[in-house]
Amino acid sequence: NLYYALTHEPEPLSSEYSRALSWEAATERFAAAGSVSFAEAEAMKEALSSADAGIDIVLPPLISGNEVQRKKLSRTFRLTRRRYRNFRSRLSQELSKTNVLPQRTKDLLITELDKRLNVDLDELLSSPKLRVKLSPAKLDKLLLDLYDGVVQGESGDVFRVIGGGANVGRQNRYVRQQTRLPQKRKKEEETVD
């Protein structure tokens, strides 16, 4: 076979095979494989916009058949949750008393600390399916709101210093001061006149 291939010219490709091996045909196949039909797009849109949109996560069984072990795990979880709630409650009280944080940041932190994660552990241990009732669009919106709230507020410089070093925070502060400088000069000129 190798000798024949080396000693003979290959047969020319038919126009059908030549077209199938071209970049244009490959691009068309790639676009067809990645395309979403109108019905699929509508079904996804409807699923994500429904009130009970969420993600199903199938978990392996945590404890299979051992009732004593399940009760022990459940008791430990409840005790840990109670301790964690006490910690969050005390932290929330301390935050409300402090004057270090800006008021908006303090209010956001206290609101988040007051939220409770209510998990029915018996149901979670008996069922290998966990339902997270948060659509990807809602999660994206919450994360963007959190980011905007952090970097655009009074505490933005603190996070810029933490994330990018002291020079980044100082640079942003300098830029803000420079933008306020013409306004300050204008006010000074008005008071002099």
Side-chain angles (χ1 to χ4, degrees):
N1 290 344
L2 180 62
Y3 177 76
Y4 180 82
L6 291 172
T7 58
H8 293 82
E9 289 291 321
E11 294 180 22
L13 289 174
S14 66
S15 60
E16 179 183 348
Y17 285 131
S18 179
R19 167 86 175 110
L21 295 174
S22 70
W23 279 110
E24 292 82 18
T27 304
E28 290 170 5
R29 287 192 303 273
F30 181 68
S35 66
V36 177
S37 70
F38 182 75
E40 287 175 326
E42 287 297 315
M44 181 63 78
K45 182 179 175 183
E46 183 179 320
L48 291 177
S49 65
S50 70
D52 59 332
I55 302 168
D56 287 336
I57 302 170
V58 179
L59 302 170
L62 298 174
I63 298 173
S64 54
N66 189 344
E67 189 66 24
V68 174
Q69 197 175 16
R70 189 177 65 77
K71 284 183 180 181
K72 182 179 177 183
L73 181 63
S74 179
R75 186 174 49 247
T76 304
F77 178 79
R78 285 189 187 97
L79 180 64
T80 304
R81 181 170 52 185
R82 189 178 325 119
R83 288 179 182 160
Y84 183 63
R85 284 181 178 167
N86 287 336
F87 166 75
R88 287 173 60 143
S89 175
R90 282 190 232 127
L91 183 59
S92 176
Q93 291 169 1
E94 290 296 321
L95 280 173
S96 64
K97 294 176 187 175
T98 186
N99 293 327
V100 175
L101 295 173
Q103 188 61 39
R104 183 169 180 257
T105 306
K106 191 183 339 180
D107 293 341
L108 285 171
L109 286 171
I110 290 171
T111 303
E112 288 301 315
L113 286 170
D114 290 341
K115 291 180 182 177
R116 291 185 173 203
L117 176 63
N118 291 319
V119 176
D120 185 2
L121 190 65
D122 293 327
E123 180 184 335
L124 180 64
L125 291 176
S126 63
S127 170
K129 187 180 272 192
L130 177 65
R131 177 128 179 108
V132 179
K133 291 192 175 184
L134 185 64
S135 69
K138 180 73 174 169
L139 178 62
D140 285 347
K141 183 179 180 333
L142 289 173
L143 289 174
L144 282 173
D145 290 345
L146 174 66
Y147 176 78
D148 288 341
V150 166
V151 298
Q152 293 175 0
E154 299 169 4
S155 59
D157 286 338
V158 174
F159 286 100
R160 277 186 278 282
V161 168
I162 292 170
N167 294 336
V168 175
R170 286 190 203 118
Q171 180 183 9
N172 187 50
R173 186 172 180 208
Y174 174 77
V175 169
R176 282 191 287 145
Q177 287 174 345
Q178 292 301 313
T179 56
R180 287 188 216 142
L181 200 57
Q183 296 170 353
K184 188 176 180 182
R185 287 183 186 152
K186 186 177 179 182
K187 284 182 182 180
E188 288 174 358
E189 288 174 5
E190 290 174 358
T191 57
V192 171
D193 292 337

